[in-house]
Amino acid sequence: MSDAAGEDPRGPAEVMRLSAIRRRIARHMTASKTAAAHTLMAIEVDYSAVDEARARGRTSGHKLSYLPFVACALASTLKEFPRLNASVEEREIHVYPRFNLGIAVDLDFEGLIVPVVKNAEGLDLLQLSSAIEDLSTRAKAGKLDVNEVAGGTFTITNAGGYGTLFTGAIINHPQVAILSTDGVNPKPVAVPRGDGGYDVAVRPIGVLAMTWDHRAFDGAYTAASLKDLKDRIEGRDWATELRAAIDAAKGA
């Protein structure tokens, strides 16, 4: 809107044409919102067991983020809840036996690309971490092969490095779900005692938020899968798994 003198009261705008990648993202995201029945559900996770493993990893020269732990646990969850690892095609749901994990990678704030870790269910912690880092590095350098951005069955978007609390991501259509891994921060939590009471402790807590297509399944299925993922992240002996992965890498 202009003022009486014909000037925009907001000041002269800098006009920026949408780049080719922004136009592609716009088309894809708009098509996804139009086609899929987007629904959001989230759960808090205690990353204490993960932090213990990460600390041990650092002492042996392996600096791991939270992402490979989430991805490794997710691979197990998808075996129990296979309809998450699927796509909607016309009037059919196609459920896939392999977990091809797409990782959303930011390209210096100019766009996103989603390289795919193929057969992620067969990789251990170190292998997943290495594959994710390799694909992300080459994505930012523009050195991905076309086959490395194809064939994804499930996507993770990871804004947690910025300390985000909660992200409602858009599904990477025709996939049926996308998981956001947000920031992990120390928080006071109630810890049950054996006598039925509670103590207060500070734990590393983060939110996992899943956007899912309500055409493919319902809320109970999503809630159960998120609880399963939470239990795996909190309850697995990650330190032992990481030690085994390190030993396997040394023997390779």
Side-chain angles (χ1 to χ4, degrees), residues 10-113:
R10 297 169 296 183
E14 178 187 0
V15 178
M16 304 170 63
R17 289 184 62 84
L18 289 174
S19 64
I21 190 170
R22 289 249 57 88
R23 293 197 300 272
R24 288 197 298 271
I25 291 171
R27 287 194 298 268
H28 186 61
M29 296 295 99
T30 302
S32 178
K33 289 291 284 187
T34 301
H38 278 64
T39 316
L40 179 64
M41 191 174 287
I43 198 165
E44 281 192 326
V45 176
D46 183 339
Y47 285 86
S48 294
V50 173
D51 270 359
E52 179 185 351
R54 293 176 70 225
R56 293 190 183 186
R58 285 192 292 271
T59 63
S60 50
H62 297 279
K63 187 178 179 181
L64 277 72
S65 70
Y66 292 103
L67 184 54
F69 294 89
V70 175
C72 197
L74 180 62
S76 299
T77 292
L78 293 183
K79 292 179 182 178
E80 297 297 321
F81 297 88
R83 278 183 281 170
L84 293 174
N85 198 52
S87 65
V88 174
E89 311 283 350
E90 298 295 335
R91 297 185 178 183
E92 299 174 335
I93 299 174
H94 294 192
V95 179
Y96 302 105
R98 295 174 181 169
F99 176 30
N100 291 347
L101 174 63
I103 301 291
V105 176
D106 170 67
L107 302 178
D108 295 325
F109 304 147
E110 294 299 325
L112 290 172
I113 193 168

